[in-house]
Each structure stands twice: as C-alpha cells, then as structure tokens.
Amino acid sequence: MAAERYLYDYSSDRAVMYEAGDYLFPLSSSKAEHWISGDYIFCMKTQEISFWILGNDVYGHVGRGELTRQPLYYFGD
C-alpha cells in the first residue's frame, strides 16, 4: 500500500480523505475517521464496516453484506 494517497468523491472528483498507513483522515483533520483492513474500511466510531475496496474503487456498505451498486469513491495519487 502507498505511504499516502487520496480518496476522491466520484460525483465531484474532489479529494475528500487521505490515507496514511492503515487509516483514512478527512482533509481538514489529523484525526482518523476510518481504518483499512484488507479490502474493508471500518468506521472508527462504530467499529463496523463502512466501505469495501475493489481495485481503486470504493463501494458503500449498506448493511447485511450489501453494497452500493456504483462506487462512491476512488483512490488516486
């Protein structure tokens, strides 16, 4: 995994978070909101799966193992 990369919103193509190590941080904060383990992104607050990573695409986890039909975010450099 890269040392640092950005997570972009598919609808606006704007960076919304950055990855440092195994954590995702909002652009305006140094406090991690999510952590990454394998192909899953977990919420720090709820400790539950928030997103699923497939390649550079990130899909929302809506519960009971179901994902959003279209990716919400994508990883870029």
Side-chain angles (χ1 to χ4, degrees):
M1 216 173 258
E4 185 175 299
R5 61 183 177 165
Y6 291 90
L7 190 66
Y8 294 86
D9 183 293
Y10 253 109
S11 61
S12 69
D13 284 324
R14 290 185 171 195
V16 292
M17 289 187 252
Y18 68 95
E19 175 188 7
D22 291 333
Y23 296 93
L24 286 174
F25 299 83
L27 291 181
S28 60
S29 177
S30 60
K31 183 179 178 186
E33 288 188 355
H34 297 88
W35 85 90
I36 300 171
S37 180
D39 293 334
Y40 296 97
I41 299 173
F42 293 86
C43 177
M44 297 289 279
K45 188 175 184 178
T46 65
Q47 304 290 301
E48 295 181 2
I49 297 171
S50 301
F51 305 102
W52 181 64
I53 303 168
L54 180 61
N56 283 332
D57 293 333
V58 178
Y59 294 82
H61 184 263
V62 294
R64 298 186 187 175
E66 294 182 37
L67 305 172
T68 56
R69 291 186 181 267
Q70 300 296 323
L72 302 175
Y73 305 105
Y74 63 93
F75 280 106
D77 296 328

